[in-house]
Amino acid sequence: IGAVEDPTTILRALIFSSDLSFLMEAHDGLSAAIATQAGFKGLWASGLSISSALGYRDANEASWTEVVDVVERMADASGLPILVDGESGFGNFNNARLLAMKLLQHGGAGVCLEDKAFPKRNSFVGDHHPLVDIDEFSGRLKAIKDTTGDDLLLVARIEALIAGYSLDEALRRADAYADAGADAILIHSRKSDADEILAFAKEWQTLPIVIVPTKYYRTPVSAYRDAGISTVIWANHAMRAAVAGMRAVCARIAAEESIAGVEPEVATLDEVFRLLGYDELAAAEDRYLPKH
Ligand code: SPV
Ligand code: MG
């Protein structure tokens, strides 16, 4: 808890810095606090991870207001700038600009909008990823810029390579989205190597480039530094770690009918209290509660 220094300015500095920056996925206040403690300077509010944590599929099942609520908890618990997965904007230009305004009001530092139709589905699920046409999507970007201006960073995400289109189509979209006012471009790929991402970065240097190497995870980050890429998003690993950790602990407690065995495997309660600032509450109680 404490005053947060203009998160958008910090996120902008990260994305425009000459060195490679990293955004860590978080999906609730707890994961946001843990990423902060690990030393990350910015967070990715992943639609996939937030959906999963809420028990939804990553197919626009979570409402935009539910996402805004989660982002607000993440902002409070971390104090870090958050780039929010704005999906495809939850509708047309009007829904997109409303989302952007509400994210700005509730602690978001930036929004990332992808050029797909509503409802979208996760880029790694199935092969059918219809894109919206360039003009329609550019209108969504312009509407956000006209609404939130420089107060909210705007990242335009290109799904052309995910949808099976050529590098040329991705480049055409990048030019259009830059003209529409995007601050940065996220180029996504589902390939297991980074070739098409690196080819894009070689051809296109108009704005900072953000990538999500979930599927091409073997590529060392030095390749991205060499290619002049701005920012890497580690997009879902806190959520997947939680799944693996919770599954193992639940299975063991069920099998052993005891919590004794897992005690050394789980975080101590003191760790949880430290993470979420219980010391600040104790100090405030000392200051504000009447003394008897
Ligand atoms: C997310 O984290 O929700 C993303 C990235 O949009 S991906 O899952 O790779 O599409
Ligand atoms: Mg997403």
Side-chain angles (χ1 to χ4, degrees):
I1 298 172
V4 177
E5 190 195 338
D6 185 12
T8 305
T9 304
I10 303 171
L11 182 63
R12 191 179 302 276
L14 278 177
I15 286 188
F16 279 82
S17 81
S18 53
D19 194 15
L20 190 64
S21 298
F22 299 93
L23 299 179
M24 181 65 201
E25 171 261 315
H27 50 272
D28 57 14
L30 183 60
S31 53
I34 291 169
T36 308
Q37 201 185 44
F40 284 99
K41 300 285 182 273
L43 300 178
W44 166 245
S46 156
L48 169 63
S49 299
I50 291 171
S51 299
S52 303
L54 292 173
Y56 288 123
R57 277 80 58 101
D58 185 16
N60 280 137
E61 290 184 343
S63 72
W64 67 267
T65 55
E66 287 176 298
V67 173
V68 171
D69 286 348
V70 170
V71 168
E72 185 169 55
R73 296 310 316 132
M74 287 172 54
D76 285 352
S78 68
L80 291 182
I82 304 171
L83 177 61
V84 181
D85 184 348
E87 315 287 357
S88 54
F90 293 83
N92 70 0
F93 78 92
N94 187 43
N95 307 87
R97 68 180 177 174
L98 178 60
L99 171 72
M101 175 56 79
K102 290 295 159 189
L103 287 174
L104 178 59
Q105 289 169 347
H106 293 269
V111 66
C112 176
L113 216 73
E114 66 193 81
D115 53 3
K116 295 210 291 227
F118 179 91
K120 46 97 11 150
R121 67 159 82 142
N122 184 269
S123 302
F124 306 135
V125 175
D127 290 325
H128 189 55
H129 294 278
L131 304 185
V132 287
D133 74 50
I134 294 182
D135 290 343
E136 204 276 342
F137 191 70
S138 297
R140 285 185 215 174
L141 297 173
K142 282 185 193 144
I144 290 177
K145 261 295 154 194
D146 287 345
T147 303
T148 50
D150 288 338
D151 295 339
L152 190 75
L153 197 87
L154 177 58
V155 179
R157 165 168 162 181
I158 297 169
E159 289 280 288
L161 303 176
I162 296 283
Y165 291 95
S166 64
L167 182 60
D168 279 351
E169 177 65 18
L171 293 166
R172 215 156 61 82
R173 286 177 176 259
D175 285 337
Y177 303 163
D179 287 345
D183 296 298
I185 291 290
L186 190 159
I187 180 74
H188 205 9
S189 168
R190 58 196 298 176
K191 296 260 167 67
S192 57
D193 62 62
D195 292 357
E196 63 184 10
I197 292 298
L198 295 174
F200 180 92
K202 191 156 184 245
E203 290 290 317
W204 202 82
Q205 284 108 25
T206 310
L207 294 175
I209 295 174
V210 181
I211 62 170
V212 184
T214 298
K215 291 289 180 185
Y216 47 100
Y217 55 83
R218 286 193 183 83
T219 306
V221 294
S222 57
Y224 309 138
R225 281 203 176 89
D226 293 347
I229 282 166
S230 151
T231 303
V232 170
I233 294 176
W234 307 126
N236 47 51
H237 298 73
M239 178 272 289
R240 288 163 62 193
V243 169
M246 290 191 282
R247 190 172 44 212
V249 164
C250 286
R252 190 156 167 197
I253 292 173
E256 296 178 358
E257 294 186 341
S258 166
I259 52 175
V262 300
E263 181 62 26
E265 312 285 322
V266 295
T268 64
L269 288 178
D270 278 343
E271 253 181 281
V272 175
F273 300 152
R274 244 194 330 272
L275 257 175
L276 295 174
Y278 281 56
D279 52 346
E280 189 279 338
L281 176 58
E285 284 171 346
D286 212 36
R287 189 176 164 93
Y288 299 120
L289 287 178
K291 309 229 173 358
H292 297 294

PDB file of all heavy atoms in Angstrom, residues 45-57:
ATOM      1  N   ALA A  45      -0.984  -8.617 -17.372  1.00  0.00           N
ATOM      2  CA  ALA A  45      -2.255  -9.168 -16.902  1.00  0.00           C
ATOM      3  C   ALA A  45      -2.800 -10.049 -18.012  1.00  0.00           C
ATOM      4  O   ALA A  45      -3.486  -9.576 -18.927  1.00  0.00           O
ATOM      5  CB  ALA A  45      -3.232  -8.046 -16.552  1.00  0.00           C
ATOM      6  N   SER A  46      -2.462 -11.318 -17.947  1.00  0.00           N
ATOM      7  CA  SER A  46      -2.768 -12.268 -19.016  1.00  0.00           C
ATOM      8  C   SER A  46      -4.239 -12.666 -19.015  1.00  0.00           C
ATOM      9  O   SER A  46      -4.770 -13.095 -17.985  1.00  0.00           O
ATOM     10  CB  SER A  46      -1.903 -13.519 -18.808  1.00  0.00           C
ATOM     11  OG  SER A  46      -2.496 -14.648 -19.406  1.00  0.00           O
ATOM     12  N   GLY A  47      -4.854 -12.575 -20.169  1.00  0.00           N
ATOM     13  CA  GLY A  47      -6.238 -13.026 -20.284  1.00  0.00           C
ATOM     14  C   GLY A  47      -6.365 -14.516 -20.019  1.00  0.00           C
ATOM     15  O   GLY A  47      -7.293 -14.964 -19.337  1.00  0.00           O
ATOM     16  N   LEU A  48      -5.411 -15.282 -20.545  1.00  0.00           N
ATOM     17  CA  LEU A  48      -5.425 -16.732 -20.320  1.00  0.00           C
ATOM     18  C   LEU A  48      -5.330 -17.041 -18.826  1.00  0.00           C
ATOM     19  O   LEU A  48      -6.094 -17.858 -18.300  1.00  0.00           O
ATOM     20  CB  LEU A  48      -4.261 -17.386 -21.079  1.00  0.00           C
ATOM     21  CG  LEU A  48      -3.988 -18.849 -20.746  1.00  0.00           C
ATOM     22  CD1 LEU A  48      -5.169 -19.729 -21.129  1.00  0.00           C
ATOM     23  CD2 LEU A  48      -2.717 -19.338 -21.439  1.00  0.00           C
ATOM     24  N   SER A  49      -4.401 -16.388 -18.146  1.00  0.00           N
ATOM     25  CA  SER A  49      -4.181 -16.714 -16.738  1.00  0.00           C
ATOM     26  C   SER A  49      -5.316 -16.209 -15.857  1.00  0.00           C
ATOM     27  O   SER A  49      -5.740 -16.907 -14.929  1.00  0.00           O
ATOM     28  CB  SER A  49      -2.836 -16.135 -16.274  1.00  0.00           C
ATOM     29  OG  SER A  49      -1.791 -16.713 -17.028  1.00  0.00           O
ATOM     30  N   ILE A  50      -5.801 -15.007 -16.133  1.00  0.00           N
ATOM     31  CA  ILE A  50      -6.922 -14.485 -15.346  1.00  0.00           C
ATOM     32  C   ILE A  50      -8.150 -15.368 -15.561  1.00  0.00           C
ATOM     33  O   ILE A  50      -8.836 -15.753 -14.609  1.00  0.00           O
ATOM     34  CB  ILE A  50      -7.212 -13.011 -15.718  1.00  0.00           C
ATOM     35  CG1 ILE A  50      -6.066 -12.115 -15.229  1.00  0.00           C
ATOM     36  CG2 ILE A  50      -8.548 -12.547 -15.126  1.00  0.00           C
ATOM     37  CD1 ILE A  50      -6.137 -10.671 -15.721  1.00  0.00           C
ATOM     38  N   SER A  51      -8.411 -15.727 -16.820  1.00  0.00           N
ATOM     39  CA  SER A  51      -9.533 -16.631 -17.109  1.00  0.00           C
ATOM     40  C   SER A  51      -9.379 -17.930 -16.338  1.00  0.00           C
ATOM     41  O   SER A  51     -10.326 -18.398 -15.686  1.00  0.00           O
ATOM     42  CB  SER A  51      -9.602 -16.965 -18.602  1.00  0.00           C
ATOM     43  OG  SER A  51      -9.807 -15.812 -19.364  1.00  0.00           O
ATOM     44  N   SER A  52      -8.185 -18.515 -16.405  1.00  0.00           N
ATOM     45  CA  SER A  52      -7.945 -19.807 -15.747  1.00  0.00           C
ATOM     46  C   SER A  52      -8.159 -19.694 -14.248  1.00  0.00           C
ATOM     47  O   SER A  52      -8.779 -20.567 -13.625  1.00  0.00           O
ATOM     48  CB  SER A  52      -6.529 -20.296 -16.048  1.00  0.00           C
ATOM     49  OG  SER A  52      -6.324 -20.398 -17.437  1.00  0.00           O
ATOM     50  N   ALA A  53      -7.636 -18.611 -13.653  1.00  0.00           N
ATOM     51  CA  ALA A  53      -7.773 -18.441 -12.206  1.00  0.00           C
ATOM     52  C   ALA A  53      -9.236 -18.287 -11.800  1.00  0.00           C
ATOM     53  O   ALA A  53      -9.633 -18.680 -10.702  1.00  0.00           O
ATOM     54  CB  ALA A  53      -6.958 -17.235 -11.739  1.00  0.00           C
ATOM     55  N   LEU A  54     -10.038 -17.711 -12.706  1.00  0.00           N
ATOM     56  CA  LEU A  54     -11.463 -17.540 -12.410  1.00  0.00           C
ATOM     57  C   LEU A  54     -12.275 -18.778 -12.791  1.00  0.00           C
ATOM     58  O   LEU A  54     -13.485 -18.831 -12.553  1.00  0.00           O
ATOM     59  CB  LEU A  54     -12.010 -16.312 -13.163  1.00  0.00           C
ATOM     60  CG  LEU A  54     -11.491 -14.938 -12.717  1.00  0.00           C
ATOM     61  CD1 LEU A  54     -11.979 -13.848 -13.662  1.00  0.00           C
ATOM     62  CD2 LEU A  54     -11.931 -14.620 -11.290  1.00  0.00           C
ATOM     63  N   GLY A  55     -11.614 -19.756 -13.406  1.00  0.00           N
ATOM     64  CA  GLY A  55     -12.327 -20.966 -13.823  1.00  0.00           C
ATOM     65  C   GLY A  55     -13.048 -20.849 -15.148  1.00  0.00           C
ATOM     66  O   GLY A  55     -13.951 -21.619 -15.454  1.00  0.00           O
ATOM     67  N   TYR A  56     -12.620 -19.868 -15.952  1.00  0.00           N
ATOM     68  CA  TYR A  56     -13.191 -19.686 -17.283  1.00  0.00           C
ATOM     69  C   TYR A  56     -12.246 -20.223 -18.347  1.00  0.00           C
ATOM     70  O   TYR A  56     -11.043 -20.370 -18.109  1.00  0.00           O
ATOM     71  CB  TYR A  56     -13.372 -18.199 -17.590  1.00  0.00           C
ATOM     72  CG  TYR A  56     -14.471 -17.476 -16.859  1.00  0.00           C
ATOM     73  CD1 TYR A  56     -14.176 -16.352 -16.090  1.00  0.00           C
ATOM     74  CD2 TYR A  56     -15.802 -17.863 -16.977  1.00  0.00           C
ATOM     75  CE1 TYR A  56     -15.182 -15.634 -15.443  1.00  0.00           C
ATOM     76  CE2 TYR A  56     -16.814 -17.154 -16.328  1.00  0.00           C
ATOM     77  CZ  TYR A  56     -16.497 -16.038 -15.568  1.00  0.00           C
ATOM     78  OH  TYR A  56     -17.486 -15.326 -14.942  1.00  0.00           O
ATOM     79  N   ARG A  57     -12.765 -20.426 -19.555  1.00  0.00           N
ATOM     80  CA  ARG A  57     -11.923 -20.651 -20.724  1.00  0.00           C
ATOM     81  C   ARG A  57     -11.466 -19.294 -21.265  1.00  0.00           C
ATOM     82  O   ARG A  57     -12.159 -18.288 -21.078  1.00  0.00           O
ATOM     83  CB  ARG A  57     -12.688 -21.400 -21.832  1.00  0.00           C
ATOM     84  CG  ARG A  57     -12.749 -22.897 -21.695  1.00  0.00           C
ATOM     85  CD  ARG A  57     -13.799 -23.380 -20.723  1.00  0.00           C
ATOM     86  NE  ARG A  57     -15.167 -22.959 -21.045  1.00  0.00           N
ATOM     87  CZ  ARG A  57     -16.066 -23.750 -21.643  1.00  0.00           C
ATOM     88  NH1 ARG A  57     -15.776 -24.983 -21.965  1.00  0.00           N
ATOM     89  NH2 ARG A  57     -17.302 -23.310 -21.875  1.00  0.00           N
TER      90      ARG A  57
END
